[in-house]
């Protein structure tokens, strides 16, 4: 991605208006993120689960792993942006607004984990149906966010660091929905 595209991304997402680059300053050209297992695609559901409680536990673990992955990737992106823009006059504003990226985890909160845990712990069939419906509602809300939110749609094409947050979240939510 070109330096101007990266600048545009920072201006849109971090809401910081950037001036002209300092003379002779070269933007940091961060390469693709190739840091081991975290950059792999979302884990797939097992094809032969051994019971509803086990499938729910697996879904909960998969969701928790995805949330953790998103948090790690957002933190890496924040660090990369701060490093790449450290010589810019707008650096203090970028520092101040870099937390805007944390909105992903604020929306994709642990309510799904709590609901899946609640569902896993109940034996009452009526309660299970109700909790399952509530869990589906949470997944649907998260899926809508992943499909429609501007930050979620722009995060992977940030120009600083190659990410796969949206695809990972989308795949995990689809797997969880199949489980509940």
């Amino acid at each position: 991605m070109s330096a101007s595209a990266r600048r545009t991304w920072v201006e849109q997402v971090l809401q910081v208006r950037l001036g002209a680059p300092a003379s002779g300053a070269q933007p940091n050209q961060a390469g693709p993120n190739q840091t081991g297992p975290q950059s792999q695609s979302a884990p797939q559901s097992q094809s032969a689960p051994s019971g509803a409680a086990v499938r729910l536990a697996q879904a909960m673990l998969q969701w928790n792993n995805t949330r953790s992955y998103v948090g790690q990737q957002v933190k890496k992106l924040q660090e990369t942006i701060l490093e790449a823009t450290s010589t810019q006059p707008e650096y203090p504003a970028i520092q101040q607004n870099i937390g805007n990226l944390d909105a992903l985890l604020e929306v994709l909160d642990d309510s799904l984990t709590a609901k899946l845990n609640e569902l896993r712990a109940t034996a009452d069939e009526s309660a299970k149906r109700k909790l399952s419906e509530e869990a589906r509602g949470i997944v649907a809300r998260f899926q809508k966010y992943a499909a429609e939110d501007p930050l979620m749609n722009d995060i992977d094409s940030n120009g600083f660091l190659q990410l796969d947050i949206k695809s990972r979240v989308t795949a995990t939510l689809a797997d969880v929905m199949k489980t509940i």
Side-chain angles (χ1 to χ4, degrees):
M1 183 176 278
S2 71
S4 67
R6 290 168 68 187
R7 292 171 55 81
T8 300
W9 191 89
V10 168
E11 288 176 353
Q12 289 174 346
V13 174
L14 299 182
Q15 300 172 355
V16 174
R17 184 78 176 137
L18 298 174
S23 61
Q26 294 293 321
N28 185 5
Q29 297 292 329
N33 180 19
Q34 310 263 335
T35 59
Q38 294 172 339
S39 62
Q40 297 174 353
S41 63
Q44 299 298 314
S45 297
Q46 300 224 348
S47 58
S50 59
V54 171
R55 288 190 308 270
L56 286 170
Q58 289 171 336
M60 188 169 59
L61 180 61
Q62 185 179 6
W63 176 243
N64 288 341
N65 287 342
T66 296
R67 284 191 73 239
S68 176
Y69 174 81
V70 169
Q72 293 167 8
Q73 295 303 295
V74 166
K75 182 177 172 140
K76 284 181 186 177
L77 178 57
Q78 289 170 326
E79 291 169 352
T80 301
I81 290 171
L82 290 173
E83 182 180 319
T85 60
S86 64
T87 60
Q88 299 297 317
E90 300 83 10
Y91 183 72
I94 292 170
Q95 275 184 307
Q96 183 177 351
N97 292 340
I98 198 78
N100 292 355
L101 298 176
D102 292 328
L104 292 174
L105 287 173
E106 291 170 9
V107 174
L108 301 172
D109 61 17
D110 62 356
S111 61
L112 181 57
T113 299
K115 194 58 65 180
L116 292 174
N117 199 33
E118 209 177 330
L119 179 59
R120 195 170 61 105
T122 190
D124 179 281
E125 287 304 315
S126 174
K128 280 186 179 190
R129 281 190 296 276
K130 181 179 184 273
L131 292 169
S132 183
E133 189 61 35
E134 291 171 3
R136 279 190 207 90
I138 294 168
V139 171
R141 178 171 44 96
F142 289 170
Q143 287 175 322
K144 181 177 172 140
Y145 173 76
E148 297 176 0
D149 183 76
L151 176 57
M152 181 61 87
N153 285 303
D154 291 340
I155 192 81
D156 292 340
S157 60
N158 61 71
F160 292 92
L161 190 64
Q162 183 178 351
L163 300 175
D164 65 344
I165 290 173
K166 182 174 179 169
S167 63
R168 176 95 176 234
V169 167
T170 302
T172 297
L173 290 171
D175 285 349
V176 171
M177 186 65 97
K178 291 176 196 171
T179 302
I180 53 177

